[in-house]
Amino acid sequence: MIRSFSVFLFIALAFSGFSQDPFKRGMYKSLDEIRYNSPSSPLEYPVLESTKRFGEAFDRKESTYYRLSIKNKKSREIGPIIGFSDGNTLYLATTEVSAGEGSMFSPADRLNDSIYVFEHYYYEFGFELLGNLMSGGSQIFLPSASKVQSFYVINLNGTINKLTVEYMTKLLSKNDELAYEFEKERSKEGLLLLYLMKLLDDGEN
């Protein structure tokens, strides 16, 4: 618990060390528009909050997401967007989505001039054990889908990737010392942001 708290304290302090010029108010249709702080559509709609629940019944968690109050007809006229800014905070999706009320966006934190991180949810599909046909008989499985929350890394040079152990291992392949250190960690999933910060601190982009 102490180590986990220290990791998030380190990350919070690291975020505060980067100067962040406000993104212009508006809707952004591409990573290039975000990179050049040049939204192509004005933001003239209320920003609404929505709460999403995650995890199992015994370990339920909640996160706040944001959406725009835009009717379907108007959202079709606007076209797909990747995010929007209210003039203070940049909100992002993991890909280009409709600007309508059904799309959820997350606030992003800037790590440097081209790297940002944000949390977003996705559906994890699998099979859930329903029970047995009879004692000692075949088991019955039904398809299931659950909401899972994960960090995403956005590089304004053109990519958005889910922050996973596999992706972090790939990033660290350019830094032998950090790669070796990360390989020895037991709870890698809880240290992904920390190692991303270490990598950027070493000058990687």
Side-chain angles (χ1 to χ4, degrees):
M1 178 67 71
I2 294 176
R3 185 179 185 186
S4 177
F5 175 78
S6 299
V7 169
F8 285 105
L9 177 60
F10 172 87
I11 292 167
L13 291 174
F15 283 161
S16 66
F18 293 99
S19 62
Q20 298 190 26
D21 295 328
F23 282 92
K24 294 178 182 176
R25 182 181 178 90
M27 293 182 285
Y28 295 78
K29 295 190 174 184
S30 68
L31 293 183
D32 276 345
E33 289 189 7
I34 296 174
R35 177 194 293 178
Y36 297 112
N37 198 4
S38 180
S40 58
S41 297
L43 181 61
E44 302 170 335
Y45 312 94
V47 179
L48 308 176
E49 290 188 7
S50 294
T51 299
K52 291 286 184 181
R53 294 185 176 182
F54 305 89
E56 304 295 335
F58 55 85
D59 188 27
R60 188 70 69 182
K61 300 175 183 178
E62 292 186 350
S63 285
T64 302
Y65 289 88
Y66 300 83
R67 55 195 175 92
L68 297 174
S69 181
I70 304 178
K71 300 302 182 183
N72 289 337
K73 181 179 179 180
K74 186 61 180 179
S75 69
R76 287 193 292 269
E77 295 175 3
I78 294 170
I81 65 173
I82 198 167
F84 64 90
S85 171
D86 59 8
N88 294 304
T89 302
L90 177 67
Y91 300 88
L92 295 172
T94 58
T95 187
E96 294 177 359
V97 296
S98 166
E101 291 188 5
S103 298
M104 298 292 178
F105 301 85
S106 307
D109 287 299
R110 177 161 61 180
L111 302 188
N112 65 21
D113 287 342
S114 60
I115 305 296
Y116 296 71
V117 294
F118 62 99
E119 281 190 288
H120 210 69
Y121 75 94
Y122 64 97
Y123 282 95
E124 190 173 74
F125 296 96
F127 291 90
E128 182 177 359
L129 176 63
L130 181 62
N132 297 323
L133 286 173
M134 59 185 67
S135 179
S138 301
Q139 294 179 323
I140 302 174
F141 291 88
L142 291 178
S144 65
S146 58
K147 296 188 188 76
V148 180
Q149 187 167 265
S150 180
F151 278 100
Y152 285 79
V153 180
I154 176 171
N155 186 326
L156 296 188
N157 293 324
T159 61
I160 298 179
N161 293 281
K162 186 164 62 175
L163 188 56
T164 63
V165 171
E166 291 75 19
Y167 180 58
M168 180 54 61
T169 300
K170 179 180 177 180
L171 292 178
L172 293 174
S173 65
K174 302 176 182 178
N175 189 311
D176 293 340
E177 183 178 347
L178 284 179
Y180 178 72
E181 184 181 330
F182 184 67
E183 179 60 30
K184 293 191 301 180
E185 299 285 2
R186 292 185 177 181
S187 302
K188 293 181 175 63
E189 289 82 1
L191 299 172
L192 295 174
L193 275 179
L194 176 61
Y195 274 87
L196 178 61
M197 290 297 305
K198 286 185 175 184
L199 190 64
L200 293 176
D201 192 48
D202 272 3
E204 300 289 347
N205 287 295

